[in-house]
Amino acid sequence: MHKFFVLDTNVLLHTSRAIEAFADNTVVLPMTVIEELDKFKTKSDELGRNARAVIRYIDRVRMEEEAYARNEGREPEILTEGITHNEAGGKIMIMEDDQLEPVAGLERDMPDNRILRVAVHLSVANPDTTVLLVSKDLNLRVKAAVVGIEPVDWEEDKVNADEMYCGFREMTVPAEAIDTLYKEGSLAMPGMDLQPNEFVVLSGAENPSQGAIGRASDFNEVTSVNAKSAGMKIYGISGRSVEQRIAIQLLMDPTVKLVTLVGSAGTGKTLLALAAGLEALRVDDLALKAGNDIQYGYEKILVTRPIIPMGKDLGYLPGSKDKKMSSWMQPVFDNLSFLMHVGPGGGKQTVGKAANRKVQELLVDDLLEMEALTYIRGRSIAKQYIVVDEAQNLTPHEVKTIVSRAGDGTKIVLTGDPYQIDNPYLDQSSNGLVYCAERMKHLRLFGHVVLKKAERSELAAAAAANL
C-alpha cells in the first residue's frame, strides 16, 4: 500500500541515503526541512556533507525530470506535486508549510510544529493513505503520536545494543568435552552456528571450576586456546577477566584486521588496544635486532578519537594542531603513561616523569601519531596499527570512512561504550561502533568482544554498577 513518509531534518543529516530508501512510496519534505538543510550545507563535517548530498539529489531529480519531459513532449512533474525518482515509482515531494491550516497546539514559529502540520494536512487530505513521520527526535515522535500521526524512527542503521553479538558465549558441558578439547586441540559442537573468531567459554557440569576457552575454527567446531596463550602478557599487562583474555587473543592476531572492543568505563578497552600496539612494535623491534622475520610489520601506532566534548565545550584552544590535540587525547596519554610505568615484558618499571618522557619519545621517533578524524578522509594508511577511541560517537558512515582508509598491513581497533554517547544525533542503537560489530561479525578478518567487568579499580567498578 502506498504511504507518505514525512522526513525530519535530523534523518537526512544522519544519512543522505534516507531520501532514497522508501521504494514506491512518497517522501515528503516540508519547506522547513529544506531551510534547515540550507543552514548545514556549508559545514565541513559529516552533517554538512549529508545536507549537500540531499540537496544535490533533489536538484538532480528535478533537472532529469525536466529533460525527460522535454524529450517526451509532456509537462514535467513538479516538486510541489511529487517527482518520480526511482524505477519503483517512488516520489519526492516538497510541501510549503506556512499557508497550511493551523493545528491546535502546534504554533507556526517552531520548525518541529511546522513539520507536524504537514503530516496532519496530508493525513486529512488523504484519509485512505497512511502518513508516517520519520524522525530521530524522540520528543517530536511523542508529539506526532499525540496529534494522531504514526511516528517511526530511522531503523536502517539501528542495532539493538542490548541484544548485540558479544563475541563469545558461555556453556556448561560434561567434563569429557573439556578433556577432549585439551587432548585433541579441537571440539565438535554441532548446531552451534558460530561466527568466525567467536569464542566459547566452557565450564564443567560436574565441577564448575574446570574450564577451557575455545575459538571457532568452523561454524560447529572450536579449537583450544591453550593456557599459556590465554594468559599471555602484552607490554607488561595480562587479562584479568575472561573477556580481556579473549580481547588480547584478537588484538595480537595479525590475521584479524579489524577489532571492536565494547564495554563500560574501566573495562580496559583503550588500555588493551594501546598495549597490543606497543607489544607488536616491541616484538618487531626484537625480531629485527635478532635478524628474524618481522611478525606484525606495523610502522607506527596511530590514535584518533572524535572531537566531541562531554558537557559545555571549552571553545577555542590555542597552539598548533598537536597542541590542540593534546587536550583531547589526554585519556590516551593517561593509558600510555600507565603502560610505560608497568614496563614491557615484565621488565624494569618506569616511574613518574620518566614515563611521560618515554611517551614523548614515541611521538618524536614517529612511532606514535595522534590524528584528528577531521584529517583522515582521503588518506590511505598502510602498515599502521590504528586505535579509534570513543567510537560510539561516530555514525555508521564515519566508521565506514575510517575503516576504508586501511591499506595493506594495517589493523584497526575501535573502542567505546554505546551507553556513553555525547553525539546528539546518535544513540546506543544507531552509532557506528555497534553497527560495525553487527555488520562485520560474519567475516574471518573481524573480531569482537564485549567487556563486562570493570577492572580499573574497585571504585570504578562500583560507579559503573551503581551510578
Side-chain angles (χ1 to χ4, degrees), residues 78-150:
I78 57 177
L79 284 170
T80 53
E81 296 178 1
I83 295 179
T84 304
H85 71 111
N86 60 31
E87 294 181 357
K91 292 192 174 187
I92 294 176
M93 179 190 297
I94 296 178
M95 284 190 62
E96 290 276 3
D97 46 54
D98 276 339
Q99 306 302 320
L100 297 179
E101 289 294 322
V103 178
L106 301 180
E107 294 80 6
R108 294 175 184 268
D109 57 345
M110 295 181 62
D112 282 358
N113 288 347
R114 293 168 65 182
I115 294 171
L116 263 181
R117 281 168 43 215
V118 166
V120 171
H121 173 81
L122 284 170
S123 181
V124 172
N126 303 273
D128 297 328
T129 305
T130 301
V131 178
L132 301 98
L133 176 71
V134 186
S135 176
K136 296 189 68 62
D137 184 340
L138 179 59
N139 190 61
L140 181 56
R141 297 205 301 269
V142 170
K143 290 168 69 174
V146 170
V147 298
I149 299 299
E150 183 178 348

Side-chain angles (χ1 to χ4, degrees), residues 34 173 175 232 255 309 356 388 401 411 441 448 450:
I34 302 300
V173 296
M232 83 163 64
T255 67
N356 294 330
V388 183
T401 299
K411 185 185 188 100
K441 66 183 181 183
H448 168 74
V450 175

Side-chain angles (χ1 to χ4, degrees), residues 125-198:
N126 303 273
D128 297 328
T129 305
T130 301
V131 178
L132 301 98
L133 176 71
V134 186
S135 176
K136 296 189 68 62
D137 184 340
L138 179 59
N139 190 61
L140 181 56
R141 297 205 301 269
V142 170
K143 290 168 69 174
V146 170
V147 298
I149 299 299
E150 183 178 348
V152 293
D153 194 1
W154 173 253
E155 298 286 350
E156 186 180 71
D157 295 339
K158 291 181 77 72
V159 175
N160 190 333
D162 295 325
E163 300 177 1
M164 72 178 295
Y165 167 65
C166 73
F168 68 96
R169 54 182 95 177
E170 298 173 305
M171 293 188 63
T172 301
V173 296
E176 295 78 15
I178 295 177
D179 292 338
T180 299
L181 182 59
Y182 277 123
K183 291 177 182 178
E184 300 183 8
S186 64
L187 177 66
M189 308 192 76
M192 287 290 289
D193 197 23
L194 298 166
Q195 300 292 343
N197 295 314
E198 185 176 1

Side-chain angles (χ1 to χ4, degrees), residues 34-68:
I34 302 300
E35 292 168 354
E36 290 183 333
L37 290 175
D38 187 62
K39 295 175 183 177
F40 282 92
K41 70 180 183 183
T42 57
K43 293 183 176 292
S44 58
D45 57 12
E46 195 65 30
L47 301 180
R49 284 188 284 273
N50 285 332
R52 291 190 296 273
V54 171
I55 295 168
R56 283 195 296 265
Y57 183 82
I58 295 171
D59 190 52
R60 184 171 72 249
V61 167
R62 178 187 61 82
M63 294 176 65
E64 288 177 352
E65 168 58 20
E66 290 179 354
Y68 291 151

